[in-house]
mmCIF file of all heavy atoms in Angstrom:
data_model
loop_
_atom_site.group_PDB
_atom_site.id
_atom_site.type_symbol
_atom_site.label_atom_id
_atom_site.label_comp_id
_atom_site.label_asym_id
_atom_site.label_seq_id
_atom_site.Cartn_x
_atom_site.Cartn_y
_atom_site.Cartn_z
ATOM 1 N N ILE A 114 10.317 21.419 -10.831
ATOM 2 C CA ILE A 114 11.529 22.123 -10.088
ATOM 3 C C ILE A 114 12.716 21.940 -10.775
ATOM 4 O O ILE A 114 13.522 22.892 -10.902
ATOM 5 C CB ILE A 114 11.615 21.385 -8.623
ATOM 6 C CG1 ILE A 114 10.523 21.659 -7.799
ATOM 7 C CG2 ILE A 114 12.993 21.820 -7.965
ATOM 8 C CD1 ILE A 114 10.330 20.897 -6.372
ATOM 9 N N ARG A 115 12.950 20.789 -11.519
ATOM 10 C CA ARG A 115 14.222 20.623 -12.294
ATOM 11 C C ARG A 115 14.264 21.506 -13.494
ATOM 12 O O ARG A 115 15.235 22.018 -13.898
ATOM 13 C CB ARG A 115 14.423 19.133 -12.582
ATOM 14 C CG ARG A 115 14.934 18.343 -11.416
ATOM 15 C CD ARG A 115 15.096 16.906 -11.470
ATOM 16 N NE ARG A 115 15.719 16.196 -10.450
ATOM 17 C CZ ARG A 115 15.544 14.876 -10.337
ATOM 18 N NH1 ARG A 115 14.745 14.168 -11.095
ATOM 19 N NH2 ARG A 115 16.028 14.319 -9.340
ATOM 20 N N LYS A 116 13.063 21.737 -14.107
ATOM 21 C CA LYS A 116 13.028 22.584 -15.315
ATOM 22 C C LYS A 116 13.445 23.953 -14.849
ATOM 23 O O LYS A 116 14.210 24.633 -15.587
ATOM 24 C CB LYS A 116 11.558 22.709 -15.830
ATOM 25 C CG LYS A 116 11.400 23.604 -16.910
ATOM 26 C CD LYS A 116 12.004 23.132 -18.251
ATOM 27 C CE LYS A 116 11.705 23.967 -19.392
ATOM 28 N NZ LYS A 116 12.159 23.379 -20.673
ATOM 29 N N ALA A 117 12.984 24.377 -13.665
ATOM 30 C CA ALA A 117 13.270 25.768 -13.101
ATOM 31 C C ALA A 117 14.748 25.849 -12.641
ATOM 32 O O ALA A 117 15.434 26.964 -12.914
ATOM 33 C CB ALA A 117 12.285 26.128 -12.143
ATOM 34 N N TYR A 118 15.215 24.977 -11.916
ATOM 35 C CA TYR A 118 16.486 25.178 -11.336
ATOM 36 C C TYR A 118 17.645 24.101 -11.511
ATOM 37 O O TYR A 118 18.787 24.420 -11.100
ATOM 38 C CB TYR A 118 16.194 25.059 -9.687
ATOM 39 C CG TYR A 118 15.212 26.049 -9.354
ATOM 40 C CD1 TYR A 118 14.042 26.045 -8.922
ATOM 41 C CD2 TYR A 118 15.625 27.475 -9.373
ATOM 42 C CE1 TYR A 118 13.055 27.054 -8.502
ATOM 43 C CE2 TYR A 118 14.828 28.518 -9.067
ATOM 44 C CZ TYR A 118 13.527 28.303 -8.673
ATOM 45 O OH TYR A 118 12.681 29.267 -8.425
ATOM 46 N N ALA A 119 17.388 23.072 -12.203
ATOM 47 C CA ALA A 119 18.470 22.098 -12.455
ATOM 48 C C ALA A 119 19.511 22.601 -13.487
ATOM 49 O O ALA A 119 19.029 23.292 -14.430
ATOM 50 C CB ALA A 119 17.978 20.718 -12.853
ATOM 51 N N GLU A 120 20.737 22.304 -13.270
ATOM 52 C CA GLU A 120 21.778 22.757 -14.286
ATOM 53 C C GLU A 120 22.091 21.620 -15.194
ATOM 54 O O GLU A 120 22.635 21.761 -16.217
ATOM 55 C CB GLU A 120 23.081 23.113 -13.530
ATOM 56 C CG GLU A 120 22.878 24.485 -12.585
ATOM 57 C CD GLU A 120 24.087 24.831 -11.875
ATOM 58 O OE1 GLU A 120 25.148 24.289 -11.996
ATOM 59 O OE2 GLU A 120 24.068 25.788 -11.154
ATOM 60 N N SER A 121 22.130 20.393 -14.816
ATOM 61 C CA SER A 121 22.507 19.149 -15.533
ATOM 62 C C SER A 121 22.035 17.993 -14.866
ATOM 63 O O SER A 121 21.468 18.036 -13.821
ATOM 64 C CB SER A 121 24.132 19.197 -15.481
ATOM 65 O OG SER A 121 24.584 18.868 -14.256
ATOM 66 N N LYS A 122 22.263 16.758 -15.594
ATOM 67 C CA LYS A 122 21.840 15.531 -14.925
ATOM 68 C C LYS A 122 22.367 15.341 -13.660
ATOM 69 O O LYS A 122 21.656 14.700 -12.765
ATOM 70 C CB LYS A 122 22.245 14.449 -15.970
ATOM 71 C CG LYS A 122 21.442 13.251 -16.237
ATOM 72 C CD LYS A 122 21.926 12.190 -17.020
ATOM 73 C CE LYS A 122 21.093 11.914 -18.196
ATOM 74 N NZ LYS A 122 21.652 10.900 -19.056
ATOM 75 N N ALA A 123 23.622 15.645 -13.359
ATOM 76 C CA ALA A 123 24.259 15.480 -12.116
ATOM 77 C C ALA A 123 23.856 16.512 -11.114
ATOM 78 O O ALA A 123 23.434 16.178 -10.030
ATOM 79 C CB ALA A 123 25.756 15.518 -12.369
ATOM 80 N N LYS A 124 23.913 17.702 -11.541
ATOM 81 C CA LYS A 124 23.533 18.921 -10.783
ATOM 82 C C LYS A 124 21.996 19.175 -10.921
ATOM 83 O O LYS A 124 21.749 20.211 -11.644
ATOM 84 C CB LYS A 124 24.404 20.111 -10.928
ATOM 85 C CG LYS A 124 25.874 19.828 -10.578
ATOM 86 C CD LYS A 124 26.690 21.038 -10.718
ATOM 87 C CE LYS A 124 28.084 20.729 -10.285
ATOM 88 N NZ LYS A 124 29.072 21.853 -10.372
ATOM 89 N N ASN A 125 21.159 18.353 -10.463
ATOM 90 C CA ASN A 125 19.793 18.448 -10.947
ATOM 91 C C ASN A 125 18.879 19.031 -9.852
ATOM 92 O O ASN A 125 17.626 18.557 -9.731
ATOM 93 C CB ASN A 125 19.284 17.154 -11.488
ATOM 94 C CG ASN A 125 19.230 15.981 -10.523
ATOM 95 O OD1 ASN A 125 19.778 16.160 -9.398
ATOM 96 N ND2 ASN A 125 18.764 14.865 -11.013
ATOM 97 N N ALA A 126 19.369 19.789 -8.978
ATOM 98 C CA ALA A 126 18.645 20.617 -8.040
ATOM 99 C C ALA A 126 18.013 19.842 -6.815
ATOM 100 O O ALA A 126 18.043 20.305 -5.702
ATOM 101 C CB ALA A 126 17.627 21.558 -8.761
ATOM 102 N N VAL A 127 17.288 18.747 -7.053
ATOM 103 C CA VAL A 127 16.684 18.000 -5.998
ATOM 104 C C VAL A 127 16.664 16.547 -6.180
ATOM 105 O O VAL A 127 16.743 16.140 -7.359
ATOM 106 C CB VAL A 127 15.289 18.430 -5.881
ATOM 107 C CG1 VAL A 127 14.942 19.813 -5.272
ATOM 108 C CG2 VAL A 127 14.558 18.412 -7.318
ATOM 109 N N HIS A 128 16.579 15.882 -4.992
ATOM 110 C CA HIS A 128 16.467 14.417 -5.080
ATOM 111 C C HIS A 128 14.935 14.057 -4.634
ATOM 112 O O HIS A 128 14.478 14.807 -3.724
ATOM 113 C CB HIS A 128 17.477 13.750 -4.063
ATOM 114 C CG HIS A 128 17.038 12.268 -3.711
ATOM 115 N ND1 HIS A 128 17.541 11.308 -4.511
ATOM 116 C CD2 HIS A 128 16.404 11.769 -2.652
ATOM 117 C CE1 HIS A 128 17.066 10.102 -4.036
ATOM 118 N NE2 HIS A 128 16.398 10.463 -2.868
ATOM 119 N N GLY A 129 14.456 13.102 -5.110
ATOM 120 C CA GLY A 129 13.121 12.510 -4.697
ATOM 121 C C GLY A 129 13.108 10.980 -4.625
ATOM 122 O O GLY A 129 13.592 10.326 -5.581
ATOM 123 N N SER A 130 12.676 10.425 -3.558
ATOM 124 C CA SER A 130 12.756 8.946 -3.446
ATOM 125 C C SER A 130 11.944 8.447 -4.620
ATOM 126 O O SER A 130 11.004 8.901 -5.074
ATOM 127 C CB SER A 130 11.985 8.594 -2.032
ATOM 128 O OG SER A 130 12.710 9.240 -0.894
ATOM 129 N N ASP A 131 12.488 7.196 -4.919
ATOM 130 C CA ASP A 131 11.761 6.558 -6.145
ATOM 131 C C ASP A 131 10.829 5.325 -5.742
ATOM 132 O O ASP A 131 10.311 4.601 -6.574
ATOM 133 C CB ASP A 131 12.855 6.127 -7.183
ATOM 134 C CG ASP A 131 13.770 5.034 -6.449
ATOM 135 O OD1 ASP A 131 13.598 4.532 -5.343
ATOM 136 O OD2 ASP A 131 14.713 4.624 -7.218
ATOM 137 N N SER A 132 10.656 5.166 -4.467
ATOM 138 C CA SER A 132 9.684 4.133 -4.022
ATOM 139 C C SER A 132 9.214 4.485 -2.644
ATOM 140 O O SER A 132 9.976 5.187 -1.830
ATOM 141 C CB SER A 132 10.266 2.770 -4.076
ATOM 142 O OG SER A 132 11.280 2.490 -3.065
ATOM 143 N N ASP A 133 8.143 3.961 -2.229
ATOM 144 C CA ASP A 133 7.770 4.216 -0.733
ATOM 145 C C ASP A 133 8.658 3.587 0.188
ATOM 146 O O ASP A 133 9.039 4.189 1.301
ATOM 147 C CB ASP A 133 6.371 3.560 -0.528
ATOM 148 C CG ASP A 133 5.118 4.339 -1.267
ATOM 149 O OD1 ASP A 133 5.224 5.569 -1.410
ATOM 150 O OD2 ASP A 133 4.244 3.705 -1.618
ATOM 151 N N GLU A 134 9.239 2.349 -0.122
ATOM 152 C CA GLU A 134 10.217 1.801 0.681
ATOM 153 C C GLU A 134 11.437 2.592 0.858
ATOM 154 O O GLU A 134 12.009 2.822 1.956
ATOM 155 C CB GLU A 134 10.646 0.458 0.015
ATOM 156 C CG GLU A 134 11.414 -0.376 1.017
ATOM 157 C CD GLU A 134 12.000 -1.663 0.342
ATOM 158 O OE1 GLU A 134 11.853 -1.775 -0.961
ATOM 159 O OE2 GLU A 134 12.637 -2.413 1.026
ATOM 160 N N ASN A 135 12.029 3.237 -0.320
ATOM 161 C CA ASN A 135 13.188 4.045 -0.198
ATOM 162 C C ASN A 135 12.844 5.325 0.501
ATOM 163 O O ASN A 135 13.669 5.935 1.256
ATOM 164 C CB ASN A 135 13.719 4.260 -1.696
ATOM 165 C CG ASN A 135 14.468 3.086 -2.075
ATOM 166 O OD1 ASN A 135 15.008 2.309 -1.429
ATOM 167 N ND2 ASN A 135 14.644 2.964 -3.464
ATOM 168 N N ALA A 136 11.714 5.882 0.331
ATOM 169 C CA ALA A 136 11.294 7.071 1.071
ATOM 170 C C ALA A 136 11.440 6.862 2.624
ATOM 171 O O ALA A 136 11.935 7.705 3.330
ATOM 172 C CB ALA A 136 9.856 7.507 0.785
ATOM 173 N N GLU A 137 11.070 5.841 3.139
ATOM 174 C CA GLU A 137 11.119 5.483 4.549
ATOM 175 C C GLU A 137 12.684 5.375 4.963
ATOM 176 O O GLU A 137 13.016 5.863 5.958
ATOM 177 C CB GLU A 137 10.223 4.148 4.705
ATOM 178 C CG GLU A 137 10.479 3.536 6.029
ATOM 179 C CD GLU A 137 9.929 4.363 7.263
ATOM 180 O OE1 GLU A 137 9.014 5.066 7.022
ATOM 181 O OE2 GLU A 137 10.566 4.263 8.303
ATOM 182 N N ILE A 138 13.347 4.516 4.261
ATOM 183 C CA ILE A 138 14.817 4.341 4.417
ATOM 184 C C ILE A 138 15.547 5.630 4.478
ATOM 185 O O ILE A 138 16.241 6.011 5.312
ATOM 186 C CB ILE A 138 15.432 3.403 3.477
ATOM 187 C CG1 ILE A 138 14.835 1.916 3.508
ATOM 188 C CG2 ILE A 138 16.937 3.282 3.651
ATOM 189 C CD1 ILE A 138 15.091 1.012 2.406
ATOM 190 N N GLU A 139 15.382 6.494 3.437
ATOM 191 C CA GLU A 139 16.068 7.741 3.257
ATOM 192 C C GLU A 139 15.589 8.739 4.278
ATOM 193 O O GLU A 139 16.502 9.493 4.892
ATOM 194 C CB GLU A 139 15.796 8.197 1.864
ATOM 195 C CG GLU A 139 16.434 7.374 0.872
ATOM 196 C CD GLU A 139 16.100 7.695 -0.625
ATOM 197 O OE1 GLU A 139 15.257 8.691 -0.863
ATOM 198 O OE2 GLU A 139 16.613 7.127 -1.632
ATOM 199 N N GLY A 140 14.350 8.846 4.803
ATOM 200 C CA GLY A 140 13.887 9.719 5.724
ATOM 201 C C GLY A 140 14.629 9.399 6.954
ATOM 202 O O GLY A 140 15.051 10.255 7.672
ATOM 203 N N SER A 141 14.685 8.052 7.285
ATOM 204 C CA SER A 141 15.229 7.540 8.595
ATOM 205 C C SER A 141 16.662 7.822 8.567
ATOM 206 O O SER A 141 17.341 7.882 9.621
ATOM 207 C CB SER A 141 14.900 6.131 8.677
ATOM 208 O OG SER A 141 13.533 5.945 8.821
ATOM 209 N N PHE A 142 17.390 7.920 7.393
ATOM 210 C CA PHE A 142 18.846 8.030 7.330
ATOM 211 C C PHE A 142 19.156 9.492 7.771
ATOM 212 O O PHE A 142 20.129 9.654 8.437
ATOM 213 C CB PHE A 142 19.184 8.045 5.757
ATOM 214 C CG PHE A 142 20.678 8.107 5.571
ATOM 215 C CD1 PHE A 142 21.516 7.053 5.477
ATOM 216 C CD2 PHE A 142 21.251 9.384 5.290
ATOM 217 C CE1 PHE A 142 22.875 7.169 5.305
ATOM 218 C CE2 PHE A 142 22.551 9.691 5.063
ATOM 219 C CZ PHE A 142 23.383 8.399 4.955
ATOM 220 N N HIS A 143 18.235 10.512 7.598
ATOM 221 C CA HIS A 143 18.513 11.857 7.925
ATOM 222 C C HIS A 143 17.861 12.284 9.217
ATOM 223 O O HIS A 143 18.248 13.351 9.788
ATOM 224 C CB HIS A 143 18.032 12.705 6.792
ATOM 225 C CG HIS A 143 18.931 12.653 5.693
ATOM 226 N ND1 HIS A 143 20.050 13.464 5.534
ATOM 227 C CD2 HIS A 143 18.920 11.979 4.458
ATOM 228 C CE1 HIS A 143 20.621 13.208 4.352
ATOM 229 N NE2 HIS A 143 20.104 12.254 3.725
ATOM 230 N N PHE A 144 16.648 11.698 9.586
ATOM 231 C CA PHE A 144 15.882 12.161 10.816
ATOM 232 C C PHE A 144 15.634 11.008 11.767
ATOM 233 O O PHE A 144 15.294 9.898 11.245
ATOM 234 C CB PHE A 144 14.627 12.800 10.191
ATOM 235 C CG PHE A 144 14.799 13.945 9.377
ATOM 236 C CD1 PHE A 144 14.651 13.863 7.960
ATOM 237 C CD2 PHE A 144 14.991 15.276 9.911
ATOM 238 C CE1 PHE A 144 14.801 14.869 7.061
ATOM 239 C CE2 PHE A 144 15.154 16.327 8.877
ATOM 240 C CZ PHE A 144 15.102 16.076 7.518
ATOM 241 N N ASP A 145 15.541 11.336 12.968
ATOM 242 C CA ASP A 145 15.202 10.387 13.960
ATOM 243 C C ASP A 145 13.738 10.815 14.299
ATOM 244 O O ASP A 145 13.218 11.978 13.927
ATOM 245 C CB ASP A 145 16.052 10.195 15.147
ATOM 246 C CG ASP A 145 16.159 11.504 16.042
ATOM 247 O OD1 ASP A 145 15.181 12.127 16.267
ATOM 248 O OD2 ASP A 145 17.362 11.541 16.445
ATOM 249 N N ALA A 146 12.956 9.958 15.103
ATOM 250 C CA ALA A 146 11.502 10.268 15.237
ATOM 251 C C ALA A 146 11.348 11.514 15.997
ATOM 252 O O ALA A 146 10.179 12.272 15.823
ATOM 253 C CB ALA A 146 10.945 9.090 16.091
#
Side-chain angles (χ1 to χ4, degrees):
I114 294 173
R115 284 173 172 160
K116 177 75 177 184
Y118 299 112
E120 292 181 2
S121 66
K122 216 185 235 185
K124 297 184 174 182
N125 63 356
V127 281
H128 167 81
S130 303
D131 64 2
S132 69
D133 288 328
E134 188 192 359
N135 283 340
E137 169 66 32
I138 293 167
E139 292 171 0
S141 302
F142 184 92
H143 287 275
F144 299 98
D145 63 44

